[in-house]
Amino acid sequence: MMTFSKTKLFTALCAVVFAASAISTADAALSRKPQDNFFLATATDPLGLDPALVDDAESGNVVCNVYESLLKFKPDSTEVEPSLAESYTVSEDGLVYTFKLRQGVKFHDGTPFNAEAVKFNIDRQMPEVATPKMSYASLVYGDVDHTDVIDEYTVQITLKKPSTPFLHNLAMVYAAPIVSPAALKANNNNVNMAPCGTGPYKFVAWDKGQQVIVTRNEEYWGEPGKTANLIFRVMPEASARVVALNNGEVDAITGVDVNTVKEISDGGSKLFTAEGMNVSYMFFNCRDTGTTIKLDKDVRRAIAMAVNKDELVETLYKGYATPATTILPSFVPGYSANVKPVAYNPEEAKKIFESKGIDSLTIMTYSGARAYNTVGGQVLAEAVQAYLDKVGVKADVLVYDWATFKAKLLTDTWDVGFIGWTGDNGDPDNFLNLFASDDPIANQGLWVNQEYRDLISKAAATPEGPERAALYEQAEQLLADEAGVIPLSHAKAMGGYRPNVEGFTIHSVGNTFLMNVVKH
């Protein structure tokens, strides 16, 4: 029998009381009226709540309700419209963007939103000062040369070169949202734990690993949120989220595992589905270090040949995902059905592995479900492991929670990994620019091909139309031929919600904008 000293027992009791008080303090902010509190269960904790320092959907789900950008997407498309900017003009050479800002807007800390705030947010993410964790900075602001304050409510952004995706980038949930400069100065340029925007909801509390609570911004410049409080509950297990939903403990869930769809409907809850602007893909360690084998073009192609993609997708996702022939989903501009991926050919794969002397490799993956992979990274990796086994290659699968996985990709030894991408703005550059990056957070395997990079750069500066689409088709075919990464599937956007809920959707950019959600 284990015994405790009085001191240890007292310490343990204090820890329990402290944890309980932390949760009760947060819950004290909630209304006694059930319809005032909307509970959304997600798979993982946010990585943070500073839009410049995060890149995950769980962070984005909170960020998009607390912050705003100069522009925003329409509720049912990736077409942009005014938000914190009321209007804008673009110079004839496509280099100078002048924004007229909305007046009378305040950040949640009471400080004014103005042109200086916009400049402050852009300047903190410029290449010469951006921190390594600002993974979206180069995507949104990489083409920016400088930003000028014209007057209190006019800001001018000058680019180094024309950028067709730039306006769409300014509507994104990551990097583009405007943070209170006063809050950034008070928190050493990091508001991950003290978010402060201009949005319809403002931060109340974050109990790590448990929940994030935000409450309606009663001084919001626009139409206020319809529900008083939003609570983002962390529930790692997909089945547990479904049970909580059907029991009425939460009002909606994300990260729906396809194997629980029937359970959702049988429990009286409803299923939200839409075409997903996403891709799940396999990537390879193309660095000089941190890999056990040389993953040259032939080996990468052999791994692709070993996997029966059509069979894998049908078996795992049961009709709630489609096999990916390219990185781009079919409805994203720039998609081409002419792109031919590496074909399934296990016999040829086996020959290549034997000729290269490769009989083992290491796979690293994440544990939980993601929007682009609803069965989770471990299930996907083990399915690919089985295909590799059939061609004589033994794969060790290392599985970590999401945050640990992202960190270990940068530090540990591995050969093959799985990840995915949900499009942020509806522009093909948002997908394909990843693999033209030197940032290992974006281009996880650091595959480098200069011809590909030149095509992506040229396409980004080309106006929308056939010429731009042709450049992306060339880039996609080159990516396929080189097996830089292997696109596997495009998943449907899926969520569950209670029958007394109205207005719950998942936007095509993958985030849950909840200001119009109502619970009866």
Side-chain angles (χ1 to χ4, degrees):
M1 177 181 293
M2 185 177 293
T3 60
F4 288 87
S5 69
K6 291 182 179 180
T7 302
K8 288 182 178 179
L9 181 58
F10 177 77
T11 302
L13 287 172
C14 285
V16 172
V17 170
F18 178 80
S21 66
I23 294 176
S24 63
T25 299
D27 286 342
L30 304 183
S31 172
R32 292 178 180 274
K33 297 179 180 178
Q35 64 268 31
D36 286 345
N37 305 317
F38 185 85
F39 291 85
L40 174 67
T42 62
T44 66
D45 226 9
L47 293 179
L49 300 177
D50 185 328
L53 298 172
V54 296
D55 60 3
D56 61 303
E58 287 74 21
S59 299
N61 284 338
V62 182
V63 163
C64 71
N65 293 286
V66 171
Y67 297 93
E68 296 171 300
S69 307
L70 294 179
L71 305 174
K72 65 180 180 180
F73 298 117
K74 291 185 175 180
D76 55 355
S77 75
T78 53
E79 184 179 346
V80 298
E81 60 183 6
S83 183
L84 289 177
E86 290 187 320
S87 63
Y88 61 88
T89 58
V90 185
S91 62
E92 288 189 10
D93 61 5
L95 295 178
V96 181
Y97 290 69
T98 303
F99 294 89
K100 293 292 184 180
L101 306 181
R102 195 174 298 278
Q103 300 186 27
V105 177
K106 290 186 177 181
F107 290 102
H108 298 155
D109 59 8
T111 59
F113 163 77
N114 51 31
E116 290 285 357
V118 176
K119 177 176 169 57
F120 188 96
N121 275 263
I122 296 174
D123 286 352
R124 76 183 281 236
Q125 297 180 78
M126 292 294 282
E128 58 270 20
V129 295
T131 67
K133 289 190 175 181
M134 292 178 173
S135 57
Y136 268 71
S138 61
L139 182 64
V140 177
Y141 301 118
D143 290 330
V144 173
D145 185 76
H146 62 274
T147 304
D148 296 307
V149 172
I150 305 304
D151 58 44
E152 187 174 6
Y153 294 107
T154 308
V155 66
Q156 196 169 80
I157 304 172
T158 302
L159 305 186
K160 302 169 188 174
K161 61 181 181 179
S163 174
T164 298
F166 185 61
L167 289 174
H168 281 79
N169 290 346
L170 291 182
M172 296 200 314
V173 169
Y174 310 104
I178 308 299
V179 184
S180 161
L184 286 167
K185 291 174 184 176
N187 290 278
N188 196 28
N189 200 33
N190 182 332
V191 294
N192 266 335
M193 294 299 297
C196 188
T198 61
Y201 288 88
K202 57 185 182 180
F203 178 70
V204 174
W206 182 0
D207 299 323
K208 284 274 192 174
Q210 299 294 323
Q211 62 187 11
V212 177
I213 300 176
V214 299
T215 192
R216 183 163 51 207
N217 177 13
E218 300 296 351
E219 298 181 357
Y220 183 56
W221 61 266
E223 184 177 342
K226 292 183 178 178
T227 300
N229 304 300
L230 308 177
I231 304 93
F232 301 85
R233 280 269 165 89
V234 181
M235 303 185 74
E237 294 297 327
S239 57
R241 291 195 295 277
V242 173
V243 170
L245 178 69
N246 287 341
N247 288 344
E249 297 167 27
V250 298
D251 303 300
I253 62 173
T254 57
V256 173
D257 186 326
V258 295
N259 296 300
T260 65
V261 168
K262 185 176 186 299
E263 187 180 348
I264 289 173
S265 58
D266 286 351
S269 298
K270 296 185 177 182
L271 185 71
F272 172 87
T273 62
E275 289 301 314
M277 189 169 64
N278 60 59
V279 62
S280 174
Y281 61 90
M282 177 165 49
F283 59 93
F284 308 103
N285 194 337
C286 298
R287 310 168 200 180
D288 293 331
T289 59
T291 178
T292 65
I293 59 176
K294 183 171 177 56
L295 284 149
D296 60 21
K297 174 183 174 179
D298 291 338
V299 174
R300 298 193 303 264
R301 287 178 61 87
I303 293 172
M305 291 175 192
V307 179
N308 187 335
K309 190 186 303 182
D310 290 350
E311 179 184 73
L312 178 144
V313 172
E314 176 57 34
T315 301
L316 294 186
Y317 304 112
K318 299 176 172 58
Y320 288 96
T322 56
T325 56
T326 75
I327 290 291
L328 296 177
S330 61
F331 57 88
V332 171
Y335 166 83
S336 173
N338 296 326
V339 175
K340 303 302 179 188
V342 176
Y344 176 54
N345 190 339
E347 293 80 11
E348 181 64 21
K350 190 171 185 178
K351 290 178 184 177
I352 294 172
F353 287 130
E354 289 175 348
S355 70
K356 297 280 186 176
I358 294 173
D359 57 10
S360 65
L361 54 79
T362 300
I363 293 174
M364 187 182 290
T365 192
Y366 51 93
S367 54
R370 309 295 296 171
Y372 45 75
N373 173 19
T374 56
V375 299
Q378 181 171 353
V379 173
L380 175 59
E382 289 174 349
V384 170
Q385 178 189 43
Y387 282 116
L388 289 171
D389 188 63
K390 292 178 181 178
V391 295
V393 177
K394 300 293 182 182
D396 290 328
V397 177
L398 308 176
V399 185
Y400 302 100
D401 67 82
W402 179 248
T404 304
F405 166 70
K406 294 290 292 291
K408 283 184 173 291
L409 285 177
L410 304 176
T411 61
D412 286 20
T413 297
W414 53 273
D415 303 309
V416 178
F418 295 90
I419 205 164
W421 184 259
T422 297
D424 301 295
N425 63 17
D427 191 277
D429 180 76
N430 183 245
F431 282 85
L432 297 175
N433 188 45
L434 295 173
F435 313 112
S437 173
D438 289 321
D439 181 1
I441 296 176
N443 183 10
Q444 294 85 10
L446 286 182
W447 173 72
V448 176
N449 183 285
Q450 192 57 48
E451 183 183 356
Y452 177 88
R453 292 182 175 209
D454 291 344
L455 286 167
I456 297 303
S457 179
K458 185 176 181 181
T462 302
E464 292 182 3
E467 182 183 352
R468 190 173 191 235
L471 290 169
Y472 284 124
E473 180 179 315
Q474 283 182 258
E476 282 267 58
Q477 189 60 64
L478 179 60
L479 183 65
D481 291 342
E482 294 285 325
V485 299
I486 306 299
L488 296 173
S489 61
H490 304 295
K492 287 186 178 293
M494 299 173 66
Y497 61 99
R498 296 293 298 156
N500 62 330
V501 169
E502 290 183 10
F504 174 76
T505 63
I506 300 173
H507 194 275
S508 56
V509 298
N511 297 118
T512 53
F513 296 83
L514 297 173
M515 65 180 300
N516 292 319
V517 165
V518 176
K519 183 169 70 171
H520 299 291

